[in-house]
Amino acid sequence: MSKVIVIGGGAAGMFAAIQAAEQGHSVVLLEKNEKLGKKIYITGKGRCNITNACDTEELFQNVMRNSKFLYSAFYTCSNYQVMDFFESNGLPIKTERGERVFPQSDHSSDVIATLQRVLKKQGVTVQLHSEVKKLKIEDGQIKGVLLKNGSFLEAERVIVATGGCSYITTGSTGDGYRFAREVGHTVTELYPALVPFETEESWIKELQGLSLKNVSVKIEKNGKVLYDAFGEMLFTHYGVSGPLLLSASSMVNDYADKMPLQMSIDLKPALEEEQLDKRILRDFEENQNRQFKNAVQKLFPAKMIPVIIRLSGISPEKKVNEITKEERQQFVKLIKAFPLTLSRFRDFNEAIITRGGVSVKEVNPSTMESKIVKGLYFAGEVLDLDALTGGFNLQIAWSTGYLAGNSIE
Ligand code: FAD
């Protein structure tokens, strides 16, 4: 039996602590906040998308970097095991569109309460208001941790599960990156990921709050297509967000220094250009004597109409029967490729996750133990792993946390 300290009471830390305790170890979970799971609380818009009910094999395709590193973690604690864990510990779950798994209650607080119940059942000592300042190492072996209040806690094994550095109000302030560096680990460059974009166009403010469903978004750099997907997006006062753009940010992360990028929205992806032209022609014929601005009401959400009319270059007062074929065809092109210029990513405070972290080359993928310091383990977002939305990031946290806790001797 070992004396184990887990640093960080998030998804990875709680799963690691539960698993280590189940193996019979004496476990202390240190959390600097006044409560556990502050980030879990805000996940999935307060509903917590716990995991994804896809085939376990498919989990890998949704991990953006270092997916191979997760082989043991995903197969030791799969998405199905996570679902089973919550159900067998009294949390009914449900699966929604895109195989996203949520608590049936739609309350992330129920996920946290379940974890707290199991921590208690397994005899884990939870210490809140306990900020770790430093790891203590002697002769390449972990000896314990120093707290901010000056006290020293001895341990034979330490699991660092301090998360990334996004949404810092939840406690994820990047401390684990510092701990890792201080003991000789490499931390790869950190970027905000699953993050909205700012756009150059000032009129974007007029569209603030508008959400578009069933559109296609394409992102290009000098004609090279970097991202092309169908789904839902949102306009904000500074730019664009929503599921399509958050996923896009992970795909075009490498272009952070090569902004701007060209984005276009196909507002009518179900119609080919020719079909759309016919549809508009029909609308125009039905509204022959009306002004252009009144003839396109059925085509777009109200907020969009003044903007799209301005971009079309056609006078809003022009009678529909005076619009030329060329003007109409240009208008069709605009609807099929509504243009925007992505100027930069928003910062860590709006990023769902951090890309980059403790280099996985220096961590044993079968145990999560450091290859540099004996008895030191890493789990969760602190590692250089990141995935798309859909429950995959929490799955990384559960799986790596479980594996770390399970591997302790
Ligand atoms: P964290 O949850 O960040 O936990 C780290 C913990 O360590 C924190 O409690 C922190 O206070 C503590 N800590 C840090 N430093 C110290 C220290 N020095 N001493 C003591 N304690 C310390 N993923 C999904 O899969 N599904 C979703 O629905 C989803 N929605 C999201 C919504 C938002 C708005 C955000 C921001 C993220 C979302 N994610 C989602 C991502 C997911 O929440 C994270 O990837 C995941 O929580 C990471 O877990 P973790 O345990 O590694 O880190």
Side-chain angles (χ1 to χ4, degrees):
M1 191 179 95
S2 296
K3 261 182 148 176
V4 181
I5 284 178
V6 179
I7 313 174
M14 286 194 265
F15 242 51
I18 288 168
Q19 196 48 30
E22 202 172 313
Q23 300 305 304
H25 302 293
S26 154
V27 184
V28 176
L29 174 59
L30 301 175
E31 168 55 55
K32 68 176 169 185
N33 286 329
E34 70 290 359
K35 55 183 168 201
L36 297 173
K38 265 193 156 178
K39 186 166 271 173
I40 296 179
Y41 189 71
I42 60 166
T43 55
K45 297 196 176 114
R47 300 201 302 135
C48 187
N49 179 191
I50 302 169
T51 184
N52 194 285
C54 60
D55 286 346
T56 301
E57 195 58 36
E58 271 178 50
L59 292 175
F60 297 96
Q61 293 151 26
N62 288 281
V63 176
M64 299 306 293
R65 263 155 288 271
N66 299 319
S67 62
K68 283 197 188 115
F69 175 82
L70 285 163
Y71 194 85
S72 291
F74 280 167
Y75 280 106
T76 307
C77 172
S78 74
N79 43 345
Y80 286 89
Q81 272 158 277
V82 170
M83 289 183 248
D84 188 52
F85 169 89
F86 283 106
E87 284 194 304
S88 60
N89 284 296
L91 182 80
I93 54 171
K94 59 177 174 182
T95 304
E96 294 189 358
R97 191 170 46 89
E99 303 295 309
R100 289 161 194 249
V101 177
F102 292 90
Q104 234 170 58
S105 65
D106 282 332
H107 294 309
S108 57
S109 52
D110 291 337
V111 174
I112 303 167
T114 306
L115 291 162
Q116 279 174 316
R117 237 179 4 253
V118 185
L119 284 166
K120 197 167 173 196
K121 190 173 92 188
Q122 294 296 346
V124 173
T125 306
V126 176
Q127 269 185 233
L128 302 173
H129 302 287
S130 301
E131 180 172 339
V132 173
K133 211 173 120 197
K134 207 175 167 39
L135 304 178
K136 182 153 190 255
I137 317 283
E138 262 173 36
D139 304 327
Q141 165 92 38
I142 193 87
K143 292 291 172 191
V145 302
L146 269 164
L147 295 189
K148 197 180 164 198
N149 67 13
S151 56
F152 172 70
L153 298 180
E154 195 198 329
E156 291 148 294
R157 307 279 184 263
V158 170
I159 302 176
V160 176
T162 46
C165 54
S166 73
Y167 277 79
I168 53 171
T169 48
T170 61
S172 323
T173 44
D175 296 10
Y177 303 132
R178 177 168 52 81
F179 301 154
R181 275 193 209 102
E182 283 169 357
V183 301
H185 272 274
T186 309
V187 175
T188 63
E189 199 162 343
L190 307 172
Y191 300 92
L194 296 179
V195 67
F197 291 88
E198 287 180 19
T199 53
E200 274 177 12
E201 291 75 9
S202 55
W203 47 256
I204 202 82
K205 288 189 196 73
E206 295 176 50
L207 300 179
Q208 179 179 357
L210 175 66
S211 160
L212 296 178
K213 293 197 173 81
N214 306 323
V215 291
S216 287
V217 163
K218 197 188 275 184
I219 298 177
E220 293 170 89
K221 178 75 189 174
N222 301 332
K224 183 179 168 201
V225 177
L226 309 175
Y227 179 79
D228 192 354
F230 173 83
E232 189 176 340
M233 64 163 289
L234 176 75
F235 291 96
T236 67
H237 64 283
Y238 55 76
V240 283
S241 184
L244 273 177
L245 276 304
L246 295 183
S247 299
S249 72
S250 277
M251 307 286 182
V252 304
N253 239 300
D254 291 340
Y255 286 79
D257 304 329
K258 298 174 195 128
M259 298 291 212
L261 303 177
Q262 292 76 45
M263 167 175 161
S264 59
I265 311 168
D266 184 345
L267 295 165
K268 301 284 172 197
L271 299 176
E272 292 297 329
E273 229 173 87
E274 220 173 292
Q275 293 170 300
L276 180 61
D277 189 38
K278 276 192 188 137
R279 150 93 201 262
I280 290 176
L281 193 58
R282 209 173 52 232
D283 280 6
F284 281 8
E285 277 165 4
E286 283 166 16
N287 294 285
Q288 282 210 32
N289 293 315
R290 297 182 80 179
Q291 292 178 322
F292 178 49
K293 64 179 178 195
N294 297 322
V296 292
Q297 305 284 351
K298 276 196 272 168
L299 276 171
F300 316 102
K303 249 189 186 170
M304 196 142 205
I305 291 174
V307 175
I308 204 156
I309 286 184
R310 226 177 301 137
L311 294 182
S312 77
I314 303 172
S315 161
E317 277 79 34
K318 194 164 186 171
K319 287 267 174 55
V320 162
N321 57 12
E322 288 165 8
I323 293 175
T324 65
K325 187 177 172 194
E326 286 68 41
E327 282 176 321
R328 195 187 70 236
Q329 284 174 343
Q330 277 309 112
F331 187 52
V332 167
K333 286 202 175 6
L334 176 65
I335 300 170
K336 293 295 285 177
F338 184 84
L340 281 163
T341 317
L342 303 177
S343 51
R344 57 185 289 266
F345 294 103
R346 294 293 274 183
D347 66 18
F348 278 109
N349 268 323
E350 287 175 63
I352 302 285
I353 51 160
T354 304
R355 173 186 154 196
V358 175
S359 169
V360 295
K361 292 190 191 121
E362 298 161 357
V363 177
N364 183 339
S366 311
T367 59
M368 299 292 134
E369 189 176 8
S370 157
K371 291 181 184 170
I372 296 172
V373 180
K374 214 171 159 341
L376 177 66
Y377 296 73
F378 294 97
E381 208 177 308
V382 71
L383 286 161
D384 180 14
L385 300 165
D386 65 281
L388 294 175
T389 57
F392 303 104
N393 284 296
L394 276 173
Q395 183 63 43
I396 291 177
W398 310 127
S399 292
T400 54
Y402 182 101
L403 186 55
N406 202 45
S407 305
I408 283 171
E409 285 158 6

